[in-house]
Amino acid sequence: MYVFEKYDSKKGFTLIEILISLAIAGIVMAAAYSLYITFYKQTSAQDLLIEAQQNARAGIEFMQKELVLVGHRVPSTVMVAGIPSTLNAIETAASNSIEFRYVDPDAAVTEQNLKITYDVDVTSAGVFFLRRQKCVMTDATLWTGCVNADHYQV
């Protein structure tokens, strides 16, 4: 009988106690997971906002550097069929766009006559885009024609 008395002690847990413990642990884990998901979504949203702000800063800085060069070595008049014609360094300017010209001082071999256009657009979701278009002018005397047009979105 000594063997049975050893196993007859009340030191263990019953099945009901284990099931209740597992249920409580499950509820605590579900709450912790919910908090984790909320934190993760907030962090992701903040990361996207920070990235958008950095892109905007980079775009504005690039635009600022080019605006300093507006009119650099751009003639005020050009000859069109023997008739002088006025050439403005800033071609158009509006509340959401600007188009200007300059001669690129950093061009490697030949000077590049550039026409730059910046405009701001808003998507249906309310997201702002700063777009840049660079045109290398083919006719250096008339500042017309556009090759190597490239577009950037910030």
Side-chain angles (χ1 to χ4, degrees):
M1 292 275 173
Y2 177 73
V3 175
F4 291 113
E5 289 177 14
K6 185 177 178 183
Y7 293 109
D8 195 30
S9 67
K10 303 286 184 185
K11 291 184 181 178
F13 294 108
T14 64
L15 183 60
I16 303 255
E17 289 173 333
I18 292 175
L19 289 176
I20 290 173
S21 299
L22 285 175
I24 292 172
I27 291 170
V28 170
M29 291 301 289
Y33 181 72
S34 175
L35 286 173
Y36 170 75
I37 292 298
T38 303
F39 175 74
Y40 179 76
K41 286 180 182 178
Q42 285 291 335
T43 304
S44 297
Q46 286 296 323
D47 287 345
L48 290 175
L49 179 63
I50 289 170
E51 183 180 354
Q53 288 174 342
Q54 287 174 339
N55 287 343
R57 280 190 202 106
I60 296 293
E61 184 179 335
F62 194 78
M63 185 171 141
Q64 178 185 7
K65 286 179 181 180
E66 284 193 324
L67 284 171
V68 169
L69 294 172
V70 168
H72 177 70
R73 297 184 57 192
V74 174
S76 58
T77 58
V78 292
M79 299 300 284
V80 179
I83 302 171
S85 177
T86 304
L87 184 64
N88 295 323
I90 297 178
E91 194 167 302
T92 59
S95 62
N96 64 344
S97 67
I98 186 168
E99 185 174 280
F100 55 90
R101 302 165 189 262
Y102 71 91
V103 176
D104 187 5
D106 296 328
V109 179
T110 60
E111 295 177 343
Q112 291 185 339
N113 300 323
L114 301 176
K115 180 170 77 171
I116 307 293
T117 304
Y118 283 98
D119 66 327
V120 176
D121 195 13
V122 182
T123 65
S124 60
V127 177
F128 288 86
F129 286 99
L130 175 64
R131 278 186 285 215
R132 175 184 181 266
Q133 179 183 8
K134 176 179 99 175
C135 290
V136 178
M137 311 309 286
T138 56
D139 190 339
T141 58
L142 298 179
W143 286 75
T144 58
C146 181
V147 296
N148 297 335
D150 53 357
H151 301 269
Y152 299 102
Q153 281 187 318
V154 177

